[in-house]
Amino acid sequence: MKQFCPECGKEKGPFLKGFCLDCFKKKGDLVSAPKEIDFEHCKKCGKARIRGKWVELTEEGLEGLVKEKIKEKEMKIENRMVSLIREAEGVQAQGLKAEVTAKGSVDGMPLTEKLVVALKPKDVICVNCSRVYGNYYEATIQVRFGGVSLKKTEDAVLKRMASFLQRLHAKDPLAVIVSEKKQRNGFDVLIGSKRAAKLLAVHLAKDSEHDIKRSFSLEGVDKAGKTKKRFTFCVRL
Ligand SMILES: [Zn+2]
Ligand SMILES: [Zn+2]
């Protein structure tokens, strides 16, 4: 008896698992990939959570996310390729799709399968942003002037502080001024990151003849059992 495809009746091979090539492909059992992949996306800073880490939203990151969701079914996959379908310049979180091309073989016959996966961002607020927007801070810098402090001088120092932190911000998202408060002979600035605050205090004091005064207070114990400290750097200018 002649072999024929049970789906379309075609008698011309090649046949795969009893079906003609077209029908076998139409069954869509070559590889599996979800139609949609969710990922967390911070609506404040635009970062995405990829494999548990908050990172800049990049093409590579998203492609990697899709790649690991492509699973073998009937086809032995030799090569997975993922490319983002761009509707606009750059990588925006909304309306992202990725084209998946999987190359491999079924019973030794080379095949290529193409699929489209939608990437769905879930708007959340990342750890760092929730800290910054929740007034979280690790350190205070007390800026004090000898004698009467002038508004103009204070503003200039504040500006210098903000631009110094700006430079650290890419590597340290908590390098921000959380709030500032006027004091006699100067002002206090609350800083998200203690590391950034320390660098900033050293930077501010480099032209001053006074040493930086450091102190810390205990703010209890965190969930991991580590003591939380808040640092204060007093800089006299
Ligand atoms: Zn067929
Ligand atoms: Zn964020």
Side-chain angles (χ1 to χ4, degrees), residues 119-144:
L119 287 155
K120 298 272 173 187
K122 269 198 313 181
D123 275 349
V124 294
I125 293 176
C126 76
V127 185
N128 284 320
C129 288
S130 71
R131 283 179 168 176
V132 170
Y133 292 91
N135 290 334
Y136 171 93
Y137 69 99
E138 294 173 348
T140 304
I141 296 185
Q142 299 173 331
V143 179
R144 297 294 181 266

Side-chain angles (χ1 to χ4, degrees), residues 104-164:
S105 58
V106 179
D107 294 345
M109 180 183 297
L111 288 171
T112 301
E113 176 75 331
K114 280 183 192 286
L115 297 166
V116 172
V117 176
L119 287 155
K120 298 272 173 187
K122 269 198 313 181
D123 275 349
V124 294
I125 293 176
C126 76
V127 185
N128 284 320
C129 288
S130 71
R131 283 179 168 176
V132 170
Y133 292 91
N135 290 334
Y136 171 93
Y137 69 99
E138 294 173 348
T140 304
I141 296 185
Q142 299 173 331
V143 179
R144 297 294 181 266
F145 299 90
V148 186
S149 73
L150 295 169
K151 173 106 176 56
K152 218 174 97 187
T153 320
E154 287 185 5
D155 286 349
V157 173
L158 255 178
K159 225 172 134 186
R160 220 174 114 202
M161 293 172 86
S163 75
F164 183 86

